[in-house]
């Protein structure tokens, strides 16, 4: 019925109307374009009233719906919930959490009149400095794909669409619109495409966004191999492909490659050299550069999806999503995503302990990154507010010193918070080492524990730096930690660092100065509440790292990031191939500060009774996890597989399955079952997937370097699978 309906509509369209159906209306609210009916939405498709086709509204993003919270001449507000950043969501390793967050965001999308959410973002953490890593899940494609699939299922259960992005190999911000990513087909298929493949197959997303960059010489949005051969023919994708905003340089090639929709439209508004896409498509059909059948196909792909959207169904949205309920979901996701890196009897803190909090981030807590992944919630609970709300014994005098300091400094020209043209906040870092030794001594003597907040922010359009103040602590941050450490430890008191960050920083040079380190990521609007409950042990941390914390920036495998020539890169060669993240550190014996999959708990877990059963097409692995400590908690069990030495070069091990337990009370246990399709053990070699014969080792454990159970199964016969 739908198919017929779409075909009927297309048969009634003029050429001009067809061209308009595959191009957006221009960036809403800017360059003289009218605002979208949902102000702050990123884009809108063309309506064709003559045929009863309304426009559809597309809006970011991964940590929650990004729309303007207020509208001119309108008293009402349109806040959306700020959820934890994707890296924190991935740190939960909990598919149910991702689905629940997806459902909540999906409801906000629908009730605010949006049709498609421009998320999840799912590029791989190739290098810790990619400015948008906070918007991405992990260095590992399986974890990425599984998290994305659950999120998409949640979003789409609400009758709106999700859009996977940025397809593919968009792993840096430096020159992102022109950079040429040179990468082997093996690394592409095993690392950079794999997560997308999992999400496409498991969750049937309505849309996918082609990336800005070139892939092996061709813009992703103009890359037929990527968008048609791999995505549609091999994986069976049934949604539509849209460009990233202003991506590529040739609308006709985009149409031919299988990029169905060009967004946001009117590229000439930002670059006078660019053509009007609608005109260009019409001309190309007329002069034979574009076959009208190809255009019809693209129109069909777009319309088939949009027919099911709320706008097309005339859904009457309320502008009243359940923000109260969603705040609770944001909280639940956050408490599962914090990662405890170090704990020398420092945590949890007793509820009656007197707590001194240091660091500007206790007040200016960073809720998420900047750019299209930003959100506009009703409020953000800072760390200080979160602790106060719990009636914990905060050193009020010290808190006041920080409040006054921040107010005074932000009044100075050089530290004023500014905004870019697109509204992105620029927040100059305030010096952290401003307390005298005497006052620190006093604070240490009147409190039981010291907590220091270290914050970072990054965002769209620029990469982080391998320098002090970013990947490394700034000198003043280091001095603050050192001085607080001296004052508190001299009195037998503990010091805890909270890392309010969007991606790894260096920790080795300072971690011995403190007794506890908790990565609280950028936890969204509920940040302070989440952190307070973790600190006092109301909730036991159960997050694990989805990305390695290297000891030193120079240890990372993607040494040539962000490409060459260094001052203005045009090309980036992925020399490291498949050796990304732990695949590199494990195989080449480079010891990280904290490995992939690592995370402590206030309790301990035992792993028992590994069983491996091989069937014709899969291997079934089961084992038991017991809470062997004194605190209720959840464990993330990981299953890695080590392949035999054969013809293909293999990493030491690869993640092939994982499971997060329910909350286990002390002494309680849960049986874990993980099934691995044998195809997932193959490697891409000479144009096909090859499963080599030999002995495979199953390695189940609490992190990639804390393997608790091992066992063997054998593949007797080599298999080849063609894509
Ligand atoms: C970003 C996308 C985003 C789009 C619309 C682009 O700059 O790369 O992730 O969805 O803008 O805001």
């Amino acid at each position: 019925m739908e198919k017929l309906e779409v075909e009927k509509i297309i048969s009634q369209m003029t050429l001009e109307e067809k061209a308009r159906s595959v191009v957006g209306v221009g960036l809403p609210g800017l360059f003289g374009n009218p605002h979208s009916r949902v102000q702050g939405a990123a884009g809108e498709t063309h309506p064709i009233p003559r045929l009863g086709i309304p426009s559809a509204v597309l809006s970011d993003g991964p940590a929650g719906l990004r729309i303007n919270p207020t509208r001119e001449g309108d008293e009402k507000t349109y806040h959306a919930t700020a959820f934890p950043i994707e890296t924190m969501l991935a740190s939960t390793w909990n598919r149910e959490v991702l689905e629940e967050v997806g459902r909540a965001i999906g409801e906000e999308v629908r009730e605010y009149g949006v049709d498609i959410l421009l998320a999840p973002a799912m590029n791989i953490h190739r290098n810790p400095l990619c400015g948008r890593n906070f918007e991405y899940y992990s260095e590992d494609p399986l974890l990425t794909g599984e998290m994305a699939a659950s999120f998409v299922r949640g979003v789409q259960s609400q009758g709106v669409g999700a859009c996977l992005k940025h397809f593919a190999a968009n792993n840096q911000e430096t020159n992102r619109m022109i950079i040429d990513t040179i990468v082997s087909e093996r690394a592409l298929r095993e690392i950079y495409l794999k997560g997308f493949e999992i999400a496409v197959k498991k969750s049937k997303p309505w849309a996918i966004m082609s990336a800005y960059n070139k892939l092996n010489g061709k813009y992703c949005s103009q890359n037929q191999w990527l968008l048609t051969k791999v995505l549609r023919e091999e994986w069976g994708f049934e949604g539509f492909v849209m460009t990233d905003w202003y991506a590529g340089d040739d609308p006709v090639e985009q149409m031919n490659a299988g990029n169905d929709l060009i967004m946001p439209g009117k590229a000439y508004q930002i670059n006078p050299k660019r053509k009007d896409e609608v005109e260009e498509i019409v001309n190309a059909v007329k002069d034979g550069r574009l076959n009208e059948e190809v255009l019809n196909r693209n129109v069909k792909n777009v319309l088939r999806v949009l027919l099911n959207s709320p706008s097309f169904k005339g859904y009457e949205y309320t502008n009243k999503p359940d923000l109260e309920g969603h705040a609770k979901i944001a909280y639940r996701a956050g408490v599962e995503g914090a990662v405890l890196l170090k704990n020398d009897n420092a945590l949890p803190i007793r509820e009656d302990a007197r707590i001194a909090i240091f660091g500007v981030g206790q007040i200016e807590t960073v809720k998420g990154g900047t750019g299209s992944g930003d959100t506009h919630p009703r409020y953000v609970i800072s760390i200080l507010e979160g602790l106060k709300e719990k009636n914990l014994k905060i050193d009020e005098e010290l808190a006041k010193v920080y409040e006054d300091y921040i107010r005074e400094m932000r009044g100075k020209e050089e530290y004023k918070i500014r905004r870019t043209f697109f509204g992105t906040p620029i927040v100059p870092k305030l010096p952290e080492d401003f307390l005298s030794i005497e006052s620190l001594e006093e604070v240490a003597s009147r409190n039981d524990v010291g907590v220091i907040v270290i914050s970072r922010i990054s965002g769209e359009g620029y990469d982080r730096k391998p320098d002090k103040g970013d990947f490394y602590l700034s000198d003043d941050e280091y001095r603050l930690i050192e001085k607080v450490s001296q004052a508190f430890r001299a009195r037998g008191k503990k010091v805890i660092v909270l890392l309010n960050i969007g991606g790894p920083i260096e920790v080795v040079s300072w971690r011995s100065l403190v007794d506890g380190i908790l990565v609280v990521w950028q936890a969204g609007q509920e940040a302070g509440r989440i952190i307070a409950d973790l600190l006092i042990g109301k909730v036991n941390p159960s997050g694990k790292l989805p990305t390695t914390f290297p000891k030193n920036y120079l240890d990372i495998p993607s040494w040539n990031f962000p490409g060459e020539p260094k001052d203005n890169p045009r090309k980036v060669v992925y020399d490291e191939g498949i050796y990304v993240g732990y695949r590199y550190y494990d195989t080449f014996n480079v010891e990280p500060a904290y490995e992939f999959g690592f995370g402590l708990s206030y309790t301990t877990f035992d792993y028992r009774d590994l069983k491996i059963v091989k069937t014709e097409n899969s291997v079934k692995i089961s084992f038991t996890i017991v809470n062997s400590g004194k605190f209720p908690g959840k464990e993330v069990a990981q299953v890695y597989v080590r392949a035999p030495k054969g013809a293909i070069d293999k990493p030491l091990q690869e993640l092939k399955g994982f499971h997060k337990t329910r909350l286990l009370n002390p002494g309680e246990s849960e049986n874990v079952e993980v099934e691995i399709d044998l195809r997932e053990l193959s490697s891409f070699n000479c144009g096909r997937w090859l499963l080599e014969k030999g002995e495979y080792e199953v390695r189940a454990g609490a992190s990639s370097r804390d393997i608790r159970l091992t066992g063997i199964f054998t593949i007797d016969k080599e298999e080849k699978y063609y894509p």
Side-chain angles (χ1 to χ4, degrees):
M1 137 83 187
E2 256 171 34
K3 205 166 153 222
L4 279 179
E5 207 175 323
V6 171
E7 262 154 30
K8 201 167 129 223
I9 296 173
I10 295 176
S11 71
Q12 293 168 7
M13 282 180 163
T14 63
L15 176 57
E16 165 96 19
E17 283 168 343
K18 288 180 188 170
R20 285 156 72 90
S21 311
V22 293
V23 179
V25 299
L27 203 61
L30 282 176
F31 310 116
N33 301 319
H35 261 300
S36 157
R37 72 183 124 87
V38 183
Q39 291 190 18
E44 206 167 301
T45 59
H46 271 107
I48 308 179
R50 185 179 78 83
L51 299 173
I53 297 179
S55 64
V57 180
L58 320 179
S59 197
D60 294 301
L65 180 64
R66 183 177 64 93
I67 56 174
N68 292 354
T70 53
R71 298 176 188 174
E72 246 171 73
D74 184 346
E75 299 278 281
K76 292 197 286 294
T77 54
Y78 301 84
H79 293 284
T81 309
F83 291 86
I85 55 167
E86 269 193 19
T87 306
M88 185 171 202
L89 294 176
S91 303
T92 68
W93 295 63
N94 189 334
R95 296 172 177 89
E96 283 158 29
V97 164
L98 270 283
E99 195 162 334
E100 188 177 38
V101 169
R103 274 198 299 273
I105 298 183
E107 200 229 334
E108 296 191 15
V109 168
R110 190 186 66 219
E111 293 310 322
Y112 276 133
V114 174
D115 297 288
I116 295 188
L117 177 77
L118 303 174
M122 43 189 309
N123 297 99
I124 292 290
H125 295 166
R126 171 178 181 249
N127 183 294
L129 300 187
C130 170
R132 288 182 86 176
N133 274 351
F134 73 94
E135 286 189 65
Y136 306 147
Y137 293 112
S138 171
E139 69 187 23
D140 179 80
L142 175 71
L143 182 58
T144 297
E146 289 291 322
M147 296 290 99
S150 300
F151 180 82
V152 170
R153 272 198 293 269
V155 171
Q156 297 193 165
S157 72
Q158 300 303 301
V160 294
C163 173
L164 312 183
K165 69 187 189 186
H166 311 88
F167 190 56
N170 177 183
N171 304 99
Q172 64 185 61
E173 289 302 286
T174 307
N175 282 350
R176 64 179 176 155
M177 295 185 82
I178 50 166
I179 196 85
D180 190 3
T181 300
I182 308 293
V183 51
S184 72
E185 188 168 352
R186 176 173 181 200
L188 249 186
R189 294 209 181 242
E190 292 184 22
I191 307 289
Y192 298 102
L193 298 184
K194 193 73 196 175
F196 287 100
E197 181 180 359
I198 294 170
V200 163
K201 290 182 175 166
K202 287 198 165 177
S203 66
K204 298 200 174 307
W206 286 19
I208 191 163
M209 185 188 290
S210 51
Y212 280 129
N213 51 290
K214 293 177 183 164
L215 180 60
N216 294 326
K218 262 240 178 282
Y219 279 115
C220 290
S221 64
Q222 293 163 203
N223 197 317
Q224 189 162 29
W225 175 83
L226 183 69
L227 303 184
T228 298
K229 175 153 189 307
V230 174
L231 179 63
R232 285 199 190 272
E233 293 169 10
E234 294 180 14
W235 300 350
F237 175 67
E238 289 174 352
F240 70 86
V241 180
M242 71 178 87
T243 61
D244 199 345
W245 271 223
Y246 304 114
D249 62 359
D250 185 345
V252 176
E253 200 169 50
Q254 286 171 333
M255 288 296 111
N256 278 321
N259 192 114
D260 306 298
L261 178 67
I262 298 175
M263 289 305 292
K266 299 193 182 165
Y268 59 84
Q269 291 180 325
I270 59 154
N271 179 355
K273 284 195 204 131
R274 299 281 288 263
K275 298 181 178 141
D276 178 326
E277 298 98 339
V278 174
E279 248 174 62
E280 175 64 359
I281 289 171
V282 168
N283 290 339
V285 171
K286 286 187 180 154
D287 65 26
R289 281 176 294 141
L290 179 62
N291 184 334
E292 193 161 351
E293 282 311 308
V294 170
L295 179 59
N296 289 346
R297 172 198 73 185
N298 296 356
V299 175
K300 202 187 320 173
N301 287 338
V302 175
L303 283 187
R304 229 178 22 211
V305 170
L306 292 186
L307 268 191
N308 292 312
S309 66
S311 287
F312 274 57
K313 290 181 172 165
Y315 180 73
E316 288 186 23
Y317 51 94
T318 59
N319 279 325
K320 287 200 184 75
D322 178 14
L323 296 179
E324 295 296 328
H326 298 171
K328 297 196 180 92
I329 294 173
Y331 165 88
R332 281 205 289 278
V335 288
E336 282 213 20
V339 185
L340 182 60
L341 294 185
K342 173 168 181 169
N343 192 11
D344 289 345
N345 295 319
L347 287 162
I349 299 175
R350 282 196 341 263
E351 272 187 56
D352 61 353
R354 291 164 303 171
I355 308 170
I357 321 181
F358 302 90
V360 170
Q362 65 176 292
I363 292 165
E364 293 189 342
T365 306
V366 178
K367 73 173 192 312
T370 61
S372 62
D374 202 353
T375 44
H376 307 294
R378 278 183 298 166
Y379 56 80
V380 177
I381 305 293
S382 70
I383 296 175
L384 183 60
E385 285 166 337
L387 295 177
K388 281 187 178 169
E389 232 184 54
K390 293 276 155 200
N391 292 321
L392 300 179
K393 291 191 184 140
I394 295 303
D395 189 316
E396 301 275 354
E397 209 178 304
L398 178 64
K400 173 100 183 18
V401 169
Y402 269 94
E403 275 157 3
D404 293 345
Y405 172 72
I406 292 171
R407 195 174 320 110
E408 187 201 321
M409 296 295 275
R410 289 291 178 219
K412 293 185 184 171
E413 211 38 52
E414 57 182 310
Y415 294 118
K416 282 222 162 87
I417 299 178
R418 285 173 243 282
R419 282 183 186 273
T420 64
F421 177 68
F422 287 103
T424 303
I426 299 174
V427 188
K429 268 187 87 55
L430 299 185
E432 292 281 6
D433 176 31
F434 64 89
L435 297 165
S436 68
I437 296 278
E438 297 70 47
S439 64
L440 275 174
E441 298 283 340
E442 263 178 47
V443 173
S445 55
R446 64 175 188 246
N447 286 286
D448 300 312
V449 57
V451 175
I452 308 169
V453 182
I454 298 291
S455 295
R456 291 284 181 274
I457 190 157
S458 73
E460 185 170 355
Y462 60 95
D463 286 313
R464 293 174 53 200
K465 299 260 177 305
D467 301 335
K468 287 185 180 176
D470 198 338
F471 186 76
Y472 296 92
L473 291 188
S474 60
D475 291 336
D476 55 293
E477 286 170 333
Y478 185 86
R479 280 196 303 272
L480 174 69
I481 293 181
E482 197 176 37
K483 287 180 183 168
V484 172
S485 169
Q486 262 159 22
F488 277 76
R489 283 182 162 181
R491 294 169 173 78
K493 296 173 180 175
K494 303 278 184 186
V495 178
I496 294 153
V497 167
L498 300 176
L499 293 179
N500 172 209
I501 55 181
I505 65 167
E506 184 272 335
V507 294
V508 173
S509 65
W510 55 268
R511 66 180 165 191
S512 63
L513 296 172
V514 303
D515 309 288
I517 306 176
L518 183 64
V519 183
V520 298
W521 298 116
Q522 295 163 345
Q525 66 179 46
E526 303 299 315
R529 293 178 176 142
I530 292 166
I531 293 162
D533 281 349
L534 290 163
L535 284 178
I536 58 173
K538 185 157 177 261
V539 188
N540 187 350
S542 65
K544 303 242 178 162
L545 293 180
T547 209
T548 306
F549 274 47
K551 278 191 168 166
N552 195 306
Y553 183 70
L554 296 176
D555 288 344
I556 55 142
S558 49
W559 61 273
N560 55 6
F561 176 92
E564 52 198 271
K566 272 269 171 270
D567 55 338
N568 188 14
R570 298 293 153 138
K571 181 171 92 173
V572 56
V573 184
Y574 288 13
D575 277 333
E576 70 283 359
I578 58 161
Y579 293 104
V580 177
Y582 68 90
R583 285 172 169 77
Y584 169 78
Y585 299 110
D586 293 348
T587 312
F588 297 97
N589 270 321
V590 179
E591 203 193 319
Y594 295 105
E595 72 270 17
F596 176 79
F598 180 81
L600 300 170
S601 163
Y602 298 156
T603 190
T604 50
F605 296 97
D606 284 352
Y607 286 60
R608 294 185 189 149
D609 303 329
L610 178 69
K611 292 196 189 67
I612 303 173
V613 178
K614 200 179 142 277
T615 65
E616 201 186 331
N617 297 317
S618 75
V619 49
K620 290 183 178 158
I621 292 148
S622 63
F623 50 92
T624 303
I625 291 187
V626 188
N627 183 343
S628 51
K630 298 198 174 66
F631 222 96
K634 298 183 179 184
E635 169 70 327
V636 176
Q638 301 152 48
V639 177
Y640 297 84
V641 175
R642 175 191 251 169
K645 285 224 177 318
I648 311 177
D649 202 22
K650 287 274 207 177
L652 180 107
Q653 58 178 357
E654 292 182 282
L655 183 73
K656 294 297 172 190
F658 60 89
H659 173 83
K660 185 155 195 174
T661 67
R662 61 175 200 279
L663 188 73
L664 297 177
N665 283 317
E668 254 193 304
S669 62
E670 183 171 327
N671 193 39
V672 175
E673 285 176 21
V674 167
E675 183 169 3
I676 304 169
D677 187 329
L678 294 184
R679 275 172 184 254
E680 297 306 324
L681 303 175
S682 63
S683 286
F684 198 80
N685 181 260
C686 302
R688 74 257 190 286
W689 294 92
L690 183 68
L691 177 68
E692 294 198 83
K693 60 180 186 196
E695 284 190 345
Y696 286 73
E697 186 185 35
V698 172
R699 300 157 61 81
S703 85
S704 56
R705 290 184 175 225
D706 185 5
I707 301 297
R708 307 286 185 85
L709 302 168
T710 59
I712 299 284
F713 67 94
T714 309
I715 302 282
D716 302 319
K717 199 171 130 279
E718 181 183 281
E719 295 286 350
K720 295 184 183 111
Y721 311 103
Y722 290 86

